[in-house]
Amino acid sequence: SAVISQKPSRDICQRGTSLTIQCQVDSQVTMMFWYRQQPGQSLTLIATANQGSEATYESGFVIDKFPISRPNLTFSTLTVSNMSPEDSSIYLCSVPQGTYTEAFFGQGTRLTVV
Amino acid sequence: AQSVAQPEDQVNVAEGNPLTVKCTYSVSGNPYLFWYVQYPNRGLQFLLKYITGDNLVKGSYGFEAEFNKSQTSFHLKKPSALVSDSALYFCAVRDEYKLSFGAGTTVTVRA
């Protein structure tokens, strides 16, 4: 199974600022996923990050708000831009296992916007 | 689109009693189904999966799940719950290249 390191583990940010979350995997993977878990809610996929191409965003999420980088096959970043209190959530990085069956998750980044 | 539903927001059981967390699915074709657990301030941990084969799937920490095609269900079970099983449990289904998650069920096991 892949080992996924996510930084920071938590942060408290002022509204209007931006936060970049890093995800490092110990093996090369084609696809990396970014999920959001709002307080008391389930996980929602934000986007899929593919190395060498633009990220693919799910309905309701846009690149200007959540820009993603994928410079190589083991690393990705998600930026939460121009934050508001509604962005307070846990953000999780995920990679598929094997032939895209189960997925493995990082520990998550708990973001609080004040 | 593929989807799963978890009809119970909360499940409360006494330690030592059987634990069941319910999940139903709606898919076209053969489902790829999963259970994950989330402990407080932790990421998601994979418990088990059903891809094909035996309808009773065994996973981590003594958990198992039964795939029932006629009832479109994939309930998570543990014969004897522990206080340390108290956590948030998610059922998920593979939807093309991604996972779609249920709303989650909070399990509380009382001593």
Side-chain angles (χ1 to χ4, degrees):
Chain A
S1 62
V3 176
I4 304 170
S5 301
Q6 205 173 317
K7 295 180 184 178
S9 58
R10 58 178 61 228
D11 208 341
I12 301 173
C13 300
Q14 297 291 324
R15 67 179 67 200
T17 63
S18 298
L19 176 71
T20 296
I21 302 167
Q22 299 179 4
C23 180
Q24 177 75 52
V25 187
D26 68 344
S27 58
Q28 294 184 338
V29 292
T30 304
M31 303 171 85
M32 295 177 74
F33 303 100
W34 287 98
Y35 286 84
R36 181 177 72 180
Q37 185 181 16
Q38 293 178 298
Q41 309 230 357
S42 185
L43 282 78
T44 302
L45 182 65
I46 297 171
T48 304
N50 298 304
Q51 197 272 332
S53 64
E54 294 283 335
T56 303
Y57 289 83
E58 299 296 304
S59 176
F61 297 96
V62 295
I63 187 171
D64 289 347
K65 176 67 175 177
F66 298 101
I68 287 172
S69 77
R70 184 78 200 276
N72 57 54
L73 291 173
T74 64
F75 187 79
S76 178
T77 67
L78 170 75
T79 298
V80 185
S81 302
N82 188 25
M83 288 184 286
S84 67
E86 291 70 35
D87 294 319
S88 298
S89 298
I90 299 173
Y91 293 86
L92 297 117
C93 170
S94 172
V95 301
Q97 166 70 18
T99 53
Y100 308 121
T101 54
E102 69 266 32
F104 292 95
F105 287 81
Q107 292 295 90
T109 296
R110 183 178 293 272
L111 171 61
T112 302
V113 183
V114 298
Chain B
Q2 324 285 48
S3 65
V4 290
Q6 295 179 243
E8 300 165 319
D9 292 335
Q10 292 195 359
V11 170
N12 299 304
V13 298
E15 188 172 35
N17 281 1
L19 170 62
T20 298
V21 187
K22 296 179 180 178
C23 174
T24 58
Y25 65 87
S26 175
V27 303
S28 55
N30 295 320
Y32 289 5
L33 296 162
F34 309 88
W35 276 101
Y36 286 84
V37 60
Q38 186 177 37
Y39 298 100
N41 301 314
R42 304 274 296 274
L44 265 69
Q45 296 181 30
F46 169 75
L47 281 178
L48 51 79
K49 67 181 177 183
Y50 173 81
I51 304 300
T52 186
D54 195 346
N55 289 342
L56 184 63
V57 179
K58 294 189 181 296
S60 305
Y61 313 122
F63 284 94
E64 58 189 28
E66 185 171 9
F67 173 72
N68 188 316
K69 188 172 183 178
S70 63
Q71 298 185 5
T72 62
S73 66
F74 188 56
H75 299 335
L76 181 71
K77 300 180 180 182
K78 187 170 185 179
S80 179
L82 301 173
V83 171
S84 57
D85 293 327
S86 298
L88 180 57
Y89 291 80
F90 290 101
C91 182
V93 63
R94 180 180 162 188
D95 185 2
E96 297 181 351
Y97 54 87
K98 62 186 180 183
L99 292 179
S100 292
F101 287 86
T105 299
T106 299
V107 171
T108 302
V109 182
R110 61 186 184 276

